Amino acid sequence: MSVWKGVLLWFLALLQIAQDWILEFFLGLYWGEKKVCPGPTSSNKELVQKSAVELAKLIRERKVKCYDVVKAFTDRINETNGFLNAVVDGPFPEALEEAQEIDLMLAKGVFTNKDFEEKPFLGVPFTTKESTSVKDKKLSLGLVSRKNEIGREDAECVRKAKEAGAIIIGLTNVPEVNKWIESRNNVYGQTNNPYDNRRTVGGSSGGEACIISSCGTGFGIGTDIGGSIRIPAFSCGIFGHKPTENSVSMKGCTFRTAKEEPTMVAAGPMSRHAEDLLPLLNVLVSNDKKAALKLDETVDLKKLRYFYITENGIVAATPVNSETKNVMKKVTRYFQELTEQDVVKSKLPGLEKSKNMWRYWMTKEPANFNKLMGNGDEVNPIVELLKKLVGQSDFSMAGVFGLIDGILPAENEKMVLELTKKLEDALNELLGDDGILFFTSNPRTAAFHYYPLFFKFNDFHFFSIFNVLKVPVTQVPMGLDSNGLPLGIQVVATRNRDRHCIAVARELERAFGGWVPPFQQT
């Protein structure tokens, strides 16, 4: 690297830091005083903080009534949703009726041990994002043109959760057609972070992560095409897992039919507790994929090899701050002591082009974003921008940004294809069948609402590159920063090694505490 290039990069990094400081200052003034999600009432405080696995066990052993569990979570939604605006449909009253039926059947001894095996989450309440079809429930995807649309059938992932005994209690907020890193639209409005209502919950599974973190549901199901599980999980301090490509059927998620060729998108579990991830993934995974994933195989963490990468080299991204770097130091130091081996600082070719790779591969997705935004009709981005400027557009500014992106110059296909292949080969060579990569989640913690609209939207490529690579990644909460906002780290492995990611996530939770309730600050 030439001296002048080094000086230029240093200057650009300084500009990013200055822009970040200025935006934080003025957006902080605009949004005013910080407010934190209120804590649960004394009657349900302990119950709603439990893991889905523990709740299922308590219900199965009749130590707590299913009705009381569902009532506790629906009460919690009602208690917090005015503050959070996370649940946009629900809580569903029929969920309580279903819970009563389960209690009656348990009392009569109807369920056999085989039933319990087939229904590992019997009676546990769950939610999913409003863009995932649930029969007879809202399915607007945040579009004004679809505000009265309802789902005709359950998405495959919802069907599988229900077959496992779980009870759906609500649907959560998303950005329009899931394509933004905040959760805001002109149908339902904006979802607020439970740790600081002035800040983003991320997107697109932002409402989902928010209601999980604030104890309004037992677990959630998200989808992830550019970090849409992991960004909200990071922002709201919970666990989220993006599975290996094509492991979970996408049928019913954002109009997918499951007849499409496998792409970057994935559906996966989101939870306050790491112990939920593997059994939930086992429920959601397609039967024909289970053999490859080997989810029942025991993982010996001391027999794995470990690597880490702190920066991705994208000039337009915010430089990684000191508190985020300290997370990586804690993680690498801990695993060095645990395994008595080095956690090796590594490099991967092309990470600085993550933005270009993800943008190119988005054009290979089966749906046309402009037509999705128009509910089947092509939308003119320039017309919508002009309408937005005079307050006449049905779309949010983020939605307009997405429309405009569709008419910007395309990426260099030859360059992207070569770089993607080179990066895939390098990751496979580095990690093989037993390597784990610790990767920075985000250069900074959750930003103020609207922050990304000031051309500060490149940070999400710390997440999106793993959609390009189609590998499993677990987002792990790692405590709070000096502003009381969640920190975190990504745990990455090669394809079909989801079990390794999740095993490492469980160890990190054991060592560092995992999810920190937002209301502990009050």
Side-chain angles (χ1 to χ4, degrees):
M1 182 189 295
S2 70
V3 174
W4 287 111
K5 185 177 180 181
V7 171
L8 177 61
L9 291 176
W10 175 84
F11 179 70
L12 291 173
L14 194 62
L15 282 179
Q16 289 288 345
I17 293 171
Q19 186 184 9
D20 186 60
W21 187 90
I22 291 167
L23 284 173
E24 282 286 297
F25 178 76
F26 284 104
L27 286 173
L29 288 179
Y30 176 79
W31 288 112
E33 184 182 357
K34 170 183 175 178
K35 294 180 181 177
V36 176
C37 175
T41 59
S42 57
S43 60
N44 63 23
K45 185 173 183 178
E46 291 186 6
L47 199 60
V48 296
Q49 295 185 60
K50 293 184 182 299
S51 70
V53 167
E54 187 175 1
L55 289 170
K57 185 174 185 291
L58 291 171
I59 292 168
R60 189 166 55 245
E61 295 176 353
R62 297 182 63 192
K63 293 180 179 178
V64 64
K65 287 186 178 295
C66 179
Y67 179 88
D68 292 338
V69 172
V70 175
K71 183 69 162 55
F73 282 103
T74 58
D75 284 350
R76 181 64 180 157
I77 292 173
N78 291 327
E79 185 177 61
T80 61
N81 210 44
F83 178 85
L84 300 171
N85 191 35
V87 174
V88 296
D89 193 11
F92 305 136
E94 62 268 30
L96 290 169
E97 297 172 7
E98 187 175 346
Q100 286 179 318
E101 291 176 8
I102 289 173
D103 283 332
L104 185 60
M105 294 174 73
L106 284 167
K108 291 181 177 179
V110 172
F111 294 111
T112 64
N113 287 335
K114 184 178 180 181
D115 290 328
F116 288 137
E117 289 176 6
E118 293 176 350
K119 297 181 183 295
F121 291 98
L122 181 67
V124 178
F126 78 103
T127 48
T128 192
K129 52 205 295 192
E130 197 257 22
S131 56
T132 296
S133 182
V134 176
K135 187 175 176 9
D136 297 331
K137 303 303 179 185
K138 291 181 180 180
L139 189 62
S140 75
L141 287 82
L143 298 174
V144 172
S145 60
R146 291 183 54 85
K147 64 182 179 181
N148 296 319
E149 296 289 331
I150 61 171
R152 296 181 181 179
E153 62 181 2
D154 288 337
E156 184 69 4
C157 57
V158 172
R159 182 187 69 80
K160 280 181 165 289
K162 287 182 175 181
E163 284 187 350
I167 301 173
I168 191 157
I169 60 171
L171 303 180
T172 53
N173 204 19
V174 294
E176 291 141 314
V177 198
N178 288 335
K179 195 181 178 184
W180 191 240
I181 49 178
E182 298 181 274
S183 293
R184 178 190 308 109
N185 57 68
N186 286 357
V187 180
Y188 304 119
Q190 171 177 278
T191 300
N192 300 317
N193 194 302
Y195 295 85
D196 182 344
N197 68 316
R198 306 169 300 171
R199 295 183 182 268
T200 182
V201 292
S204 62
S205 308
E208 196 60 35
C210 175
I211 202 63
I212 293 169
S213 183
S214 55
C215 301
T217 186
F219 69 89
I221 302 173
T223 58
D224 191 316
I225 199 169
S228 290
I229 286 173
R230 290 161 291 142
I231 296 169
F234 167 76
S235 299
C236 297
I238 64 165
F239 293 87
H241 181 74
K242 182 193 84 67
T244 297
E245 68 154 331
N246 203 34
S247 296
V248 178
S249 173
M250 293 301 298
K251 183 180 180 181
C253 300
T254 325
F255 305 128
R256 305 256 172 171
T257 65
K259 295 178 181 178
E260 302 89 356
E261 290 295 316
T263 66
M264 295 192 295
V265 72
M270 304 173 71
S271 177
R272 288 179 296 277
H273 302 281
E275 74 169 334
D276 293 336
L277 295 178
L278 198 67
L280 285 172
L281 185 61
N282 195 44
V283 164
L284 299 176
V285 164
S286 301
N287 291 334
D288 60 339
K289 304 296 179 182
K290 289 189 176 183
L293 293 184
K294 302 177 183 177
L295 297 180
D296 295 331
E297 186 177 280
T298 302
V299 177
D300 186 345
L301 294 177
K302 294 184 178 181
K303 291 184 178 180
L304 300 180
R305 298 175 299 121
Y306 299 91
F307 306 87
Y308 76 98
I309 295 176
T310 305
E311 307 271 359
N312 66 6
I314 296 178
V315 175
T318 305
V320 178
N321 69 21
S322 59
E323 289 186 278
T324 300
K325 288 179 179 178
N326 283 337
V327 167
M328 186 67 78
K329 289 177 182 177
K330 288 179 182 178
V331 169
T332 55
R333 188 183 302 121
Y334 177 77
F335 270 85
Q336 282 179 177
E337 293 175 356
L338 177 72
T339 64
E340 298 181 343
Q341 61 174 290
D342 289 337
V343 178
V344 182
K345 185 175 183 179
S346 305
K347 292 183 179 180
L348 289 171
L351 286 179
E352 73 280 359
K353 298 291 185 181
S354 298
K355 170 185 175 181
N356 308 87
M357 285 186 275
W358 182 81
R359 187 167 178 265
Y360 168 81
W361 287 110
M362 277 296 288
T363 67
K364 303 305 174 184
E365 293 296 316
N368 178 300
F369 177 71
N370 286 33
K371 283 190 175 181
L372 286 178
M373 288 287 282
N375 198 24
D377 297 325
E378 193 82 33
V379 178
N380 187 311
I382 303 304
V383 170
E384 284 304 321
L385 177 59
L386 293 173
K387 288 169 67 176
K388 187 67 182 176
L389 294 175
V390 294
Q392 296 300 310
S393 176
D394 284 339
F395 304 121
S396 70
M397 195 66 221
V400 175
F401 271 25
L403 291 168
I404 292 171
D405 181 65
I407 61 172
L408 294 178
E411 300 295 336
N412 183 321
E413 183 174 58
K414 184 175 184 295
M415 181 271 288
V416 167
L417 291 176
E418 290 177 353
L419 201 51
T420 303
K421 179 65 165 60
K422 187 177 182 180
L423 181 56
E424 285 178 339
D425 290 346
L427 183 70
N428 288 330
E429 183 178 351
L430 179 70
L431 300 185
D433 293 328
D434 62 351
I436 290 291
L437 174 63
F438 297 116
F439 199 85
T440 297
S441 293
N442 207 58
R444 48 151 303 149
T445 47
F448 286 112
H449 296 300
Y450 299 131
Y451 173 93
L453 292 175
F454 293 90
F455 302 98
K456 293 288 289 182
F457 45 73
N458 285 297
D459 295 355
F460 89 93
H461 294 297
F462 278 82
F463 299 94
S464 72
I465 192 59
F466 299 114
N467 295 88
V468 172
L469 296 170
K470 301 178 181 178
V471 296
V473 191
T474 305
Q475 173 59 41
V476 180
M478 288 291 297
L480 307 182
D481 73 356
S482 56
N483 291 317
L485 297 169
L487 294 157
I489 198 163
Q490 294 184 89
V491 179
V492 185
T494 43
R495 294 183 191 183
N496 297 322
R497 294 177 49 226
D498 301 61
R499 66 193 184 280
H500 290 162
C501 294
I502 293 171
V504 171
R506 291 197 67 172
E507 182 62 25
L508 286 171
E509 179 186 45
R510 190 191 69 78
F512 297 102
W515 166 72
V516 178
F519 38 82
Q520 276 192 4
Q521 301 179 66
T522 58

